[in-house]
Amino acid sequence: MDEGITLDRFLMQTGASHPSATGQFVTLLKQVTLAAKMISSRVNRAGLAGMIGATGETNIQGEFVQKLDLYANETLKRNLEHAGVVCLMVSEEEDEPVHIPEPFVPGRYVFCTDPLDGSSNIDVNATIGTIFGVFKRKSPDGTPGQLSDVLDRAGDEMVAAGYVVYGSGTLLVLATKESGVNGFTLDPSVGEFFLSHPDLRLEPSAKMYSINEAYRAKWDPRLAGYIDSLKAPELGFTQRYIGSLVADFHRNLLKGGLFIYPSTASAPNGKLRVLYEAFPLAYIAELAGGSATNGRDRILSMKATDLHQRTPLVIGNSELVAQATAALVAD
Ligand code: AHG
Ligand code: MN
Ligand code: MN
């Protein structure tokens, strides 16, 4: 009888293969899974649960905070702070790093998250998501987390990254160096995630590009030239852009494609954030056989010097990322 592999079972099987593991890593991922189920349930009922619309607040980036942004942020914090697995959290919705409150005990990991990505799509029932990346702390176990546990660290140092898409179904994608990239679909009738996309690899043939063309007049002309080149009819490209990074990335991962959020004259570092958007998705892209750059250098070689630092992002199939990056640095 094949009842499928639950995410829980997958974590226990893969976690058990690491004798040095203390169990904290598996517990962290289980708590994230629980938070994802709670957020998914709330997203599905948002129109009924009074969760549509803005709170009236703006976050550190000056963006309007939606009620679901806050719910997702609080849910992740609440599920992680008591479990003894995290010493520090970094969130798009928190100006400052989040420490572990008494009486709970700080654990071995730093959790960076965009609790709800694609906020502008909440009110229209389009796909949104949660993005996360995990570092192992550098400061001594058992002590409060330090900024140096997350700043000035290369994306390569992450030990896991993942995202959850709340779309027509809810899917959690988890990437670790040991197990690669695996996707799990939530069966809402059971309340469990089941392995549905084992060993995800970027589809090798890529015929889609994703960029907000409304900003074309603000682009570097070399980028405009490259995007124009993709429009040659014989190349057979089409364009898809939802406006939720996580959904655009997920589609491109399954179908093959290139996503770009470039620098512009008015925003030289683009819009997306290093620690909880670019790093996690770059980590997943590379483990799935793709790549990610900031238009010049590899994303995972960067080091964040600020919690909410932004970066341009060019991500997806390696060949297309290389082409776009070459075009952007050409004389
Ligand atoms: P968030 O909702 O977490 O603030 O992120 C929104 C981001 C990202 O998801 C998306 O790719 C991008 O904003 C879309 O921005 P534009 O409307 O400027 O294209
Ligand atoms: Mn976001
Ligand atoms: Mn967000």
Side-chain angles (χ1 to χ4, degrees):
M1 184 172 65
D2 182 8
E3 290 187 317
I5 298 174
T6 60
L7 176 53
D8 217 53
R9 184 181 177 101
F10 180 89
L11 293 176
M12 296 310 287
Q13 275 175 352
T14 51
S17 63
H18 303 297
S20 68
T22 58
Q24 285 196 28
F25 185 61
V26 169
T27 303
L28 185 159
L29 294 173
K30 284 186 177 182
Q31 292 305 108
V32 173
T33 305
L34 176 57
K37 290 181 204 172
M38 293 171 68
I39 298 166
S40 176
S41 161
R42 193 58 73 99
V43 165
N44 287 328
R45 292 182 294 113
L48 301 171
M51 296 300 284
I52 298 282
T55 58
E57 309 281 310
T58 52
N59 65 16
I60 181 99
Q61 352 271 341
E63 297 157 346
F64 289 111
V65 175
Q66 307 294 311
K67 291 177 190 167
L68 268 180
D69 284 325
L70 287 195
Y71 177 80
N73 186 49
E74 291 303 321
T75 301
L76 283 160
K77 272 190 343 191
R78 198 171 164 80
N79 279 294
L80 283 169
E81 66 187 9
H82 67 278
V85 296
V86 161
C87 63
L88 201 70
M89 289 183 250
V90 176
S91 164
E92 182 189 9
E93 303 305 336
E94 303 276 351
D95 301 4
E96 302 294 332
V98 178
H99 290 272
I100 301 306
E102 298 273 355
F104 307 122
V105 181
R108 294 173 80 187
Y109 296 97
V110 178
F111 185 76
C112 303
T113 187
D114 179 352
L116 206 70
D117 176 63
S119 306
S120 69
N121 280 322
I122 295 170
D123 293 2
V124 295
N125 281 44
T127 299
I128 50 183
T130 299
I131 307 174
F132 62 91
V134 182
F135 288 91
K136 193 180 274 184
R137 69 183 305 170
K138 288 174 85 175
S139 54
D141 280 352
T143 61
Q146 310 279 332
L147 267 180
S148 56
D149 288 317
V150 66
L151 293 183
D152 263 325
R153 300 192 65 179
D156 276 320
E157 293 181 64
M158 286 188 294
V159 292
Y163 62 82
V164 188
V165 278
Y166 313 105
S168 47
T170 295
L171 193 110
L172 186 151
V173 169
L174 177 65
T176 62
K177 289 192 175 117
E178 294 76 18
S179 308
V181 184
N182 292 277
F184 303 82
T185 300
L186 179 63
D187 181 341
S189 63
V190 181
E192 286 292 349
F193 284 95
F194 289 87
L195 183 63
S196 52
H197 297 70
D199 197 18
L200 270 169
R201 308 288 302 166
L202 254 155
E203 165 62 38
S205 108
K207 294 290 177 194
M208 262 184 280
Y209 70 89
S210 311
I211 189 167
N212 189 338
E213 296 220 48
Y215 305 143
R216 184 188 168 93
K218 299 182 186 175
W219 291 350
D220 181 322
R222 294 171 293 188
L223 176 63
Y226 176 66
I227 296 295
D228 282 348
S229 76
L230 295 180
K231 294 177 180 174
E234 62 275 18
L235 292 182
F237 269 85
T238 190
Q239 187 258 19
R240 292 281 185 277
Y241 191 79
I242 298 172
S244 296
L245 167 66
V246 69
D248 281 309
F249 177 82
H250 180 63
R251 183 204 51 250
N252 289 356
L253 177 63
L254 296 192
K255 303 284 187 191
L258 173 69
F259 175 97
I260 304 181
Y261 203 110
S263 63
T264 61
S266 53
N269 289 322
K271 177 180 186 185
L272 302 172
R273 277 57 60 106
V274 174
L275 281 175
Y276 42 83
E277 292 180 318
F279 269 5
L281 297 187
Y283 187 89
I284 296 165
E286 287 204 4
L287 283 174
S291 23
T293 73
N294 60 11
R296 195 184 55 232
D297 303 315
R298 187 171 161 262
I299 290 281
L300 293 178
S301 301
M302 293 173 68
K303 291 179 176 178
T305 50
D306 182 277
L307 291 180
H308 300 287
Q309 185 174 323
R310 296 175 194 263
T311 178
L313 181 63
V314 179
I315 189 166
N317 287 68
S318 294
E319 197 189 335
L320 293 176
V321 171
Q323 278 177 11
T325 306
L328 279 165
V329 296
D331 292 327

